[in-house]
Structure formats: C-alpha cells, structure tokens
Amino acid sequence: MGRLQDRVAIVTGTARGIGSAIGRRFAAEGALVVGVDIKGDLGEQVAREVVADGGRVPFLAGDISQESDVRRVVRSVLDEHGQVDILVNNAAVQKEAQLTDVTVEDFHAVVNVNLLGSFLFCREVLPSMIARRSGSIINMSSVLGWVSDPLLPVYSATKAGLLGLTRNIAITYGQDGIRCNAICPGDVDTELNRVYFEAHPDPVAFRGRVEHEYPMRRIASTDEIAKVAVFLASDDSSFVSGTHRMVDGA
C-alpha cells in the first residue's frame, strides 16, 4: 500500500520535467494520476511508460490556459472516477527577456499558463473537494516567487502570484478539509531550465556558475521535487497548509 493508494490526482504538465516525475512518483505510491499537457504525443508516451511499470496514468490533452479545456478535463475525471483528491498545478512556460523587451503577447502567454491555468484548475476542482470535505492542492511556485532574475520578470511575477493564491485557498477552504501548499524549487535539471541556460552567451559556463552558487554545488533532479510533492499530497502532511516548501538545496 502506497502513501497515495487509490487516490485520484490531476497533475498538469506531465509530458516532461517535474510534472513527469511527479506523475511517476504518485503512480508508484498507488494513486491514479490523470496527466494533462498540451503536448499530446509526449504526454501519451509518458503515460504508456508508467502503465508499463504497473502504474495508472490516463492522459488527457488540453491547454490549461483555456477555460473550456480545464472544465472538460475536470468533468471527465469526475465522471470517470467520481472524485479528485489531489491537484498539482505544475505546468509552466517562460519567456527570457528583460522587462523592457517583453511584449504584451509574451506577458499574456506566461500569465495565462502559469497563473490563470492554476486558478482555473483550482476553481474547477474545489466544489467536488468541498463536497467530500477532503483535498490537497499543490501549486508549483519557485524561488523566483521570492527573488527574481533579470531575464524572467513575468515568470517571477506569476510564481509570486501562486504563493498568494495558495494562501488564499488554504485560509478560505481549510474549514472544508482542504489543504493547499506551494513548492518553491531552485534550479532543476529540466528542459525549461536548459532553455534558460541556452539564453546566455556561454550556456555551459553559466550553468557551472549557477551550480557553484548552491551549497551542494549542483542543481536538483526532477525526482527530488517529486518526493516533496508526495509528502504534501499524502497524510504525512495532514496539518501542513497555507505554506511553501523551499527545495533549493540550501
């Protein structure tokens, strides 16, 4: 029996990176994980790999920035499985540019996925969680919700916004048996972070500098973040809500 045995989880951004690692970990702990991603082919591939390992990860393609897609996904999960016990808002995008070079289109692209998409999923799953008086919501924020980076002004703003959303949900719906927490990773070895490294003149040297700034002299693996998500989703954190967990190796 795993720590998430027979719980139904929705995890966004499962086609790669942290979302893929969380989906795999949750499945290994006994959860039925509904993966959601706009990258349909990659999402299906991850789902097949987890199923081959004995896990349960049905996949639904969807654009989390679109209200109709979010409603379709949540309705499908409730119709098929009758409940949503866990929601992980992980999907994110970023645009590398200093603030004076950010276009309105890029601003909306980042905000609509990182912040609006998380809001939409929270809004859609909350009524069923309230009805069952149980639920755990995990929002994937970042250390950049507290500090910032010259090339990621909008990304940083969305991650700070997720911290506010997390606290609001925890305070408002705690009386209904719902917990909401955020994870704030430092640098993680993901495709998204590799794109960020490539935005610098010497990506290899820049990555080396970043790794050297961490006390452990490295950045995190995706599985290290997934393990924290399992803790926050499980009964091991039954009295943890409205807070964030820094996972930055410091």
Side-chain angles (χ1 to χ4, degrees):
M1 296 287 286
R3 285 185 285 174
L4 304 178
Q5 194 67 38
D6 296 328
R7 298 185 192 182
V8 177
I10 296 176
V11 181
T12 67
T14 53
R16 61 183 183 177
I18 294 173
S20 174
I22 291 175
R24 295 171 194 272
R25 272 280 169 187
F26 278 17
E29 291 285 351
L32 185 149
V33 185
V34 180
V36 183
D37 206 294
I38 198 170
K39 299 177 182 297
D41 291 344
L42 286 176
E44 291 282 5
Q45 178 182 331
V46 170
R48 287 193 297 270
E49 290 171 358
V50 177
V51 169
D53 289 336
R56 296 175 294 167
V57 182
F59 176 78
L60 295 173
D63 181 348
I64 72 165
S65 70
Q66 298 300 309
E67 184 177 22
S68 59
D69 278 17
V70 174
R71 283 181 168 163
R72 171 180 55 82
V73 167
V74 175
R75 177 47 51 195
S76 175
V77 175
L78 291 174
D79 287 346
E80 183 72 19
H81 307 292
Q83 64 197 66
V84 176
D85 301 295
I86 303 161
L87 168 66
V88 181
N89 287 308
N90 163 76
V93 297
Q94 64 189 37
K95 302 285 185 178
E96 296 80 17
Q98 292 189 5
L99 190 128
T100 51
D101 297 322
V102 175
T103 65
V104 171
E105 291 75 15
D106 284 346
F107 176 90
H108 284 297
V110 175
V111 170
N112 288 355
V113 172
N114 298 8
L115 191 54
L116 176 62
S118 298
F119 157 77
L120 289 173
F121 264 104
C122 289
R123 191 185 67 178
E124 291 303 311
V125 304
L126 274 168
S128 65
M129 288 183 171
I130 292 169
R132 300 184 69 248
R133 300 194 61 77
S134 177
S136 176
I137 296 174
I138 302 169
N139 293 319
M140 194 62 62
S141 181
S142 168
V143 294
L144 293 183
W146 296 94
V147 295
S148 196
D149 182 284
L151 291 179
L152 298 171
V154 184
Y155 181 86
S156 299
T158 62
K159 294 303 183 178
L162 283 174
L163 294 172
L165 182 65
T166 297
R167 289 188 290 268
N168 177 270
I169 292 171
I171 291 170
T172 307
Y173 301 104
Q175 63 187 354
D176 298 301
I178 296 161
R179 298 184 298 109
C180 188
N181 293 287
I183 298 176
C184 296
D187 288 280
V188 183
D189 194 9
T190 64
E191 180 181 334
L192 195 67
N193 217 4
R194 288 190 287 273
V195 169
Y196 168 70
F197 292 148
E198 291 294 332
H200 291 78
D202 188 338
V204 174
F206 182 77
R207 174 169 178 155
R209 194 185 87 193
V210 168
E211 291 178 333
H212 187 75
E213 289 174 351
Y214 285 92
M216 295 183 181
R217 300 295 186 263
R218 65 176 180 84
I219 61 177
S221 71
T222 56
D223 194 52
E224 288 174 312
I225 310 303
K227 290 175 182 177
V228 178
V230 170
F231 166 71
L232 291 174
S234 74
D235 292 340
D236 289 346
S237 60
S238 58
F239 203 57
V240 178
S241 190
T243 189
H244 65 279
R245 285 291 178 267
M246 287 286 188
V247 191
D248 61 356

